[in-house]
Amino acid sequence: MTAAPPAVRRRILADLTPLRTSPHFRRLWFGNTVSWIGQGMTTLAISLQVYDLTGSTFSVGLVGLFSLVPLLVFGLYGGAVADTVDRRKLGLGSATGSAVLSAALAAAAFAGFHHVGFLYGIVALQAVCQALNAPARSSMIPRLLPPEQLPAANALASMTTTSGILVGPMLGGFIVGLWGYRAAYLIDAVTFGAALYAMWRLPAMLPDRAKGDTRRASVLDGLRFLGTRPNLRMTFFSDLCAMVLAHPRALLPAVAVVWYGGDARTTGLLVAAPALGALLGGVFSGWQSRVRRHGLAVLLAVASWGTAIAVFGLTRDLWLGVLFLALAGFADTVSMVFRNTMLQAAVPDEMRGRLQGVFIVVVAGGPRLGDFLAGSVAELTTPTVAVTGGGVACVVAVSLLALRWREFARYDARRPVP
């Protein structure tokens, strides 16, 4: 069988140009990928340890709450800090904090100190570090790469995230099973070394502010800026259509049993399907660097997500359901790549941190609202109505938004207008 020509592979597979042309981005991407996998291990290990200590699924659910609240509270604040100080130092300091917290988990496990309150406290502090680190890290990327390489860079970043979601928990479960919680926490602490080294090698990244402007960046100024930029607002509105109206994650345990006659393994397969699709969306992203109509791409991707979720709600064949969930995950990666690229390219450097802070709040809060909405609708009606109705509502809502703000579909990456 003849292999595909190199030119064809470049058009289909992920564009590696940012890794080849920028040593700083290459180190940052590798360091983040390694540390994300380590964090995925710790996330699973903490959940397993909480359940081991309490035997309560409610207590395990509180782990997510202790992570979510600091992300929502400090997300906007972290963006303002990133627009005030040297982003390299902020990224380095917050990553160091995360490494120290993982080391504290390992030390406590080695010392036999097993208390649920301690684990909750560590989870909350880790979320604070993440809320400070993410805006600083994301707002650095446009300073390291030319605008035409941003879609490829964001596609590579999506592979980092989904690798952490897929590979991290699998490795965590394997390592906890062999050597216990302390090994997983210790490995996580060590993996932060790659991210810290990458941050250390970066040049200074002071925000590009007016000369002599020493004021602290204001969260309210960032929100006012967003309020007057319709294309940027649409990146958030479109994502909320998908994550709030058509996010069936909370229903997957019930769906696995009621629709497919399955068990916990079936639930795990359904949960993993969107993440696998998202990873494939990053792997097969070579075409995205040639797209110029980023707004139109976002609208089509969100509508594709809603359509895939709606059809999933009508399936009763397990593998067909897994396929449509994977297609939804693929569409979500496409949407994320272009939304993030628009936030990086169309936002002035002095505002990038604050807009990335809003991005964190939407990404963290939207799916949780979606879980609540899907669970409520399913309780009042049926899971089919909740899933399929949510998918249809997503398509209708994003179509209405596209009609209301027509300029968004005409957004051209060669002339980015916020």
Side-chain angles (χ1 to χ4, degrees):
M1 186 174 178
T2 305
V8 174
R9 290 199 296 271
R10 285 196 296 270
R11 287 197 296 267
I12 297 174
L13 298 179
D15 183 357
L16 304 181
T17 302
L19 298 177
R20 290 195 296 266
T21 60
S22 173
H24 288 308
F25 178 79
R26 182 168 61 247
R27 284 190 291 267
L28 198 62
W29 180 82
F30 177 77
N32 287 336
T33 300
V34 172
S35 62
W36 262 92
I37 292 173
Q39 283 284 276
M41 292 169 49
T42 289
T43 298
L44 179 73
I46 288 176
S47 296
L48 291 173
Q49 189 173 10
V50 168
Y51 186 75
D52 189 35
L53 292 172
T54 65
S56 166
T57 55
F58 176 77
S59 298
V60 176
L62 286 179
V63 173
L65 184 63
F66 275 95
S67 176
L68 173 63
V69 172
L71 279 176
L72 296 179
V73 172
F74 286 92
L76 295 176
Y77 176 74
V81 175
D83 285 339
T84 303
V85 304
D86 184 344
R87 289 160 179 165
R88 170 188 172 272
K89 290 181 179 178
L90 178 60
L92 189 60
S94 53
T96 300
S98 294
V100 169
L101 291 169
S102 293
L105 283 170
F110 275 103
F113 183 75
H114 305 302
H115 292 276
V116 174
F118 172 75
L119 297 176
Y120 288 155
I122 293 290
V123 166
L125 291 173
Q126 285 178 329
V128 172
C129 290
Q130 183 183 347
L132 294 172
N133 185 270
R137 188 178 65 246
S138 296
S139 54
M140 291 178 191
I141 304 305
R143 302 273 289 270
L144 301 176
L145 298 169
E148 63 271 14
Q149 292 184 21
L150 291 179
N154 286 312
L156 291 168
S158 75
M159 294 169 64
T160 293
T161 304
T162 49
S163 294
I165 293 172
L166 283 173
V167 179
M170 286 192 296
L171 282 177
F174 179 75
I175 289 169
V176 169
L178 283 179
W179 301 299
Y181 304 114
R182 57 189 183 184
Y185 298 145
L186 184 60
I187 292 172
D188 182 27
V190 171
T191 60
F192 270 108
L196 292 172
Y197 175 74
M199 288 282 184
W200 181 263
R201 292 291 304 273
L202 289 172
M205 288 278 181
L206 286 166
D208 186 12
R209 306 176 71 180
K211 188 175 181 180
D213 185 1
T214 58
R215 295 173 302 167
R216 174 179 246 170
S218 166
V219 172
L220 289 178
D221 285 345
L223 295 176
R224 291 190 192 101
F225 174 83
L226 180 60
T228 59
R229 302 302 191 275
N231 283 336
L232 297 180
R233 289 202 310 273
M234 273 291 289
T235 64
F236 297 113
F237 290 160
S238 58
D239 187 49
L240 288 172
C241 287
M243 294 297 101
V244 176
L245 298 176
H247 196 258
R249 180 181 58 187
L251 304 181
L252 294 181
V255 161
V257 175
V258 176
W259 292 358
Y260 305 119
D263 51 18
R265 289 172 295 181
T266 309
T267 301
L269 186 62
L270 295 175
V271 170
L276 178 60
L279 181 61
L280 293 176
V283 171
F284 297 101
S285 61
W287 57 275
Q288 293 173 9
S289 296
R290 297 186 294 276
V291 174
R292 297 289 177 262
R293 300 280 293 278
H294 289 182
L296 180 61
V298 170
L299 295 173
L300 292 175
V302 172
S304 298
W305 163 280
T307 301
I309 294 299
V311 177
F312 165 70
L314 299 174
T315 61
R316 295 300 180 267
D317 178 84
L318 175 60
W319 293 110
L320 195 58
V322 167
L323 171 64
F324 280 103
L325 286 176
L327 290 173
F330 190 101
D332 186 45
T333 289
V334 174
S335 169
M336 185 280 296
V337 167
F338 290 116
R339 285 185 291 108
N340 218 355
T341 300
M342 292 174 72
L343 287 176
Q344 292 168 338
V347 176
D349 185 72
E350 70 269 17
M351 285 285 178
R352 281 184 183 137
R354 279 166 282 186
L355 269 292
Q356 288 296 330
V358 176
F359 183 83
I360 289 173
V361 171
V362 171
V363 168
R368 272 69 177 192
L369 288 175
D371 289 342
F372 175 76
L373 181 62
S376 300
V377 173
E379 184 69 23
L380 294 172
T381 56
T382 65
T384 301
V385 171
V387 176
T388 298
V392 172
C394 169
V395 175
V396 171
V398 79
S399 299
L400 292 175
L401 287 173
L403 291 173
R404 172 62 180 84
W405 286 285
R406 297 173 187 269
E407 288 299 317
F408 184 70
R410 293 193 282 269
Y411 176 96
D412 191 328
R414 292 166 293 190
R415 295 177 295 277
V417 176

